[in-house]
Amino acid sequence: MATSAWPFDVEVVGSGPNALAAAVTLARAGLSVRVFERMSHLGGGARTAETVAPGFHHDTCSAVHPLALASPFFRAFGLARRVQFVTPEISFAHPLSAADGGSGIAYRDLERTVESLGRDGAAYRRLIAPLAARSREIARFTGSPLLRVPPHPLVSARFGARAVLQGSAAWNAPFSGAVAPAMITGVAAHAIAPQPSLIAAAAGLALQTHAHAAGWPIPMGGSQAISDALADDLRAHGGEIVLDHEIASLDELNARAVVLDVTPRALVRLAGERMPSGYRRRLERFRYGSGSAKVQFALSGPVPWADDRIAEAGTVHIGGTRARIAAAEREVLAGRHAASPYVLVSQPSVFDATRAPHGHHALWAYTHVPAGSTLDQTEAVTRAIENVAPGFRDVIITSRSTSAAQLEADNPNYIGGDIAAGAATLRQLLARPVLSTEPWRTPLPGVYLCGAATSPGPGVHGQSGWFAARSVLRHEFGMARTPSLAP
């Protein structure tokens, strides 16, 4: 029931994880909430569909969720009690040639990983063990705005010191071989940032911490299960979701407060003349990053990895040594397609039989490309996988390619195919999208921003939406207490 003359207390634009996190939090506080989604299905970047062939269920963006069990919002929400997850014993694998030292295998068991790394095992342990032992504190620190006093200063300092080392020209100093550095860079490349750099190192170490703590879990049935759990809770607390309804202007909204899961560029367009000129200029300085291109495969059998252990990994990073990955990422950041690109592969059907018909598999892969690229990357991705899995072409039934430009057409938040919704730069680590202790609150009365373009940044964690909702509760409704989200 609404608490004012407005038809709804809060209206939310978008239905990605952050938008739904905000909506759930606000509805749990007793407010009337309505969500608008331009597509005919909800979920944004956490969605699953039969996009390649009947019976093959592919995640449209994120597939493996290191933050699903670590995010403070999802822990408060009790996501693990609402969605069934399977956590592979191998969080990720990094194929390398025998000449480079053989494949890197990141077991969830850190000591097993250390043992597999031989002479570099001890250095890997020194880098990761203190972080993995405090993974929840790391999740809270990395999932919060950096302009606030960190909740665990010593843990934050320990994390920062490691990020500085791995983000500098001295990044190889702790290691003598090629395998451990390649593994670290393969994870850091998720950030789509220069290698080495502080931003890439921090993002990579955060993910690597979870790889050796709770692991990198995969939701049974696909990422859609996470979005559906949020939507079910919203509806259970009186919230409404309107699909197939695109909002073109803030004038179309009719609520006491508004939460927008959009990019800064979209906010400028939605606000029009209502936006203060100074704030508009700050948003217009926000930069977007390089693009990604995606290829989804329907396979007649498992990937024939040259190293059998890789079949047990939920995620595979392909790109060779640390130096080769760094070179490929530099090419992309310079606006060129890499000749030997970094490729991220997810194979959830190895652990979840519901993803594909019996005996078949659904494989998901993406590579980094210049912003706005229209090139089909199917051959580049196929060739990269074939190089470490001879015979891969023989098990392909069909595939579906989505260029960077098509990613933006499917989801306007992915400007130029930028799935992180903002370039990974030091400035934008602090100012996301503006320098503020409450970057979700805009100068427009009752208007708030959430999503990957706001602090704490990309990932399926719900943190941005949670922070935005708590700001709404304080400033618009005078509620200082955060409502319980428990099942």
Side-chain angles (χ1 to χ4, degrees):
M1 181 176 179
T3 59
S4 71
W6 298 96
F8 284 84
D9 292 320
V10 185
E11 290 182 322
V12 178
V13 176
S15 69
N18 282 301
L20 292 176
V24 162
T25 304
L26 295 164
R28 285 293 195 108
L31 303 178
S32 57
V33 180
R34 177 164 59 181
V35 174
F36 291 107
E37 168 55 54
R38 64 184 285 272
M39 305 291 283
S40 59
H41 35 255
L42 60 85
R47 189 162 56 84
T48 308
E50 293 179 276
T51 53
V52 180
F56 291 86
H57 299 270
H58 286 84
D59 296 305
T60 59
C61 189
S62 55
V64 180
H65 297 277
L67 299 174
L69 304 181
S71 153
F73 168 75
F74 279 140
R75 289 206 311 271
F77 183 67
L79 185 66
R81 294 167 58 188
R82 302 169 186 262
V83 174
Q84 183 181 357
F85 287 91
V86 58
T87 305
E89 286 303 311
I90 297 176
S91 294
F92 66 89
H94 193 115
L96 285 173
S97 68
D100 291 323
S103 301
I105 306 295
Y107 297 98
R108 186 158 45 129
D109 182 340
L110 177 59
E111 288 307 310
R112 190 176 177 187
T113 306
V114 166
E115 184 180 346
S116 73
L117 288 173
R119 60 185 179 178
D120 275 340
Y124 189 88
R125 182 197 288 115
R126 285 194 297 271
L127 179 69
I128 302 297
L131 305 182
R134 305 299 294 271
S135 61
R136 286 199 171 186
E137 291 91 334
I138 295 295
R140 188 176 175 193
F141 163 62
T142 57
S144 299
L146 293 186
L147 292 183
R148 298 181 178 183
V149 176
H152 303 280
L154 292 179
V155 176
S156 302
R158 190 176 293 138
F159 178 89
R162 285 160 170 76
V164 167
L165 174 62
Q166 284 302 306
S168 74
W171 62 343
N172 285 321
F175 305 105
S176 57
V179 180
M183 291 170 65
I184 295 166
T185 303
V187 181
H190 284 235
I192 321 179
Q195 303 283 350
S197 69
L198 179 61
I199 302 300
L205 285 175
L207 292 174
Q208 206 143 1
T209 293
H210 302 310
H212 297 294
W216 287 4
I218 297 170
M220 297 293 285
S223 297
Q224 188 71 53
I226 297 175
S227 298
D228 289 347
L230 289 164
D232 289 346
D233 190 87
L234 172 61
R235 293 186 179 108
H237 290 85
E240 178 183 334
I241 299 175
V242 181
L243 301 175
D244 291 308
H245 190 115
E246 183 167 8
I247 299 297
S249 167
L250 292 183
D251 294 337
E252 299 174 27
L253 299 170
N254 189 16
R256 182 170 167 182
V258 170
V259 180
L260 307 168
D261 186 357
V262 302
T263 65
R265 184 179 298 179
L267 175 57
V268 169
R269 184 178 66 253
L270 290 169
E273 296 302 316
R274 291 171 55 180
M275 179 167 288
S277 58
Y279 187 68
R280 178 192 299 271
R281 286 193 296 271
R282 294 168 73 190
L283 292 184
E284 288 174 342
R285 287 197 294 268
F286 189 81
R287 290 178 50 209
Y288 298 92
S290 297
S292 294
K294 182 176 60 180
V295 185
Q296 298 167 323
F297 296 94
L299 307 178
S300 61
V303 178
W305 301 107
D307 185 334
D308 292 341
R309 296 174 299 171
I310 297 175
E312 301 173 33
T315 301
V316 184
H317 302 137
I318 299 173
T321 64
R322 164 172 272 183
R324 290 176 195 147
I325 294 173
E329 294 298 278
R330 281 196 298 271
E331 287 289 294
V332 172
L333 291 167
R336 299 183 291 269
H337 290 83
S340 298
Y342 165 82
V343 176
L344 190 153
V345 176
S346 172
Q347 44 184 6
S349 60
V350 171
F351 310 94
D352 178 3
T354 69
R355 301 291 190 96
H358 180 69
H360 295 64
H361 284 275
L363 196 76
W364 175 103
Y366 78 70
T367 188
H368 301 152
V369 295
S373 168
T374 59
L375 291 187
D376 183 330
Q377 292 295 300
T378 302
E379 177 55 29
V381 169
T382 301
R383 185 170 58 248
I385 300 174
E386 177 81 16
N387 286 340
V388 293
F392 173 65
R393 293 180 189 274
D394 297 335
V395 298
I396 298 174
I397 299 172
T398 188
S399 64
R400 180 175 185 267
S401 169
T402 308
S403 70
Q406 289 168 330
L407 278 177
E408 180 179 358
D410 290 343
N411 188 334
N413 281 349
Y414 300 156
I415 293 177
D418 176 10
I419 59 176
T425 65
L426 184 57
R427 179 184 181 278
Q428 292 189 177
L429 181 65
L430 298 171
R432 198 166 182 97
V434 297
L435 193 65
S436 170
T437 56
E438 286 197 77
W440 317 279
R441 189 183 183 195
T442 81
L444 293 160
V447 177
Y448 293 74
L449 194 62
C450 74
T454 66
S455 183
V460 179
H461 46 60
Q463 289 289 102
S464 169
W466 196 31
F467 284 130
R470 290 157 67 180
S471 188
V472 169
L473 291 175
R474 285 193 306 273
H475 296 293
E476 306 301 328
F477 298 95
M479 299 182 187
R481 187 175 179 180
T482 302
S484 170
L485 303 175

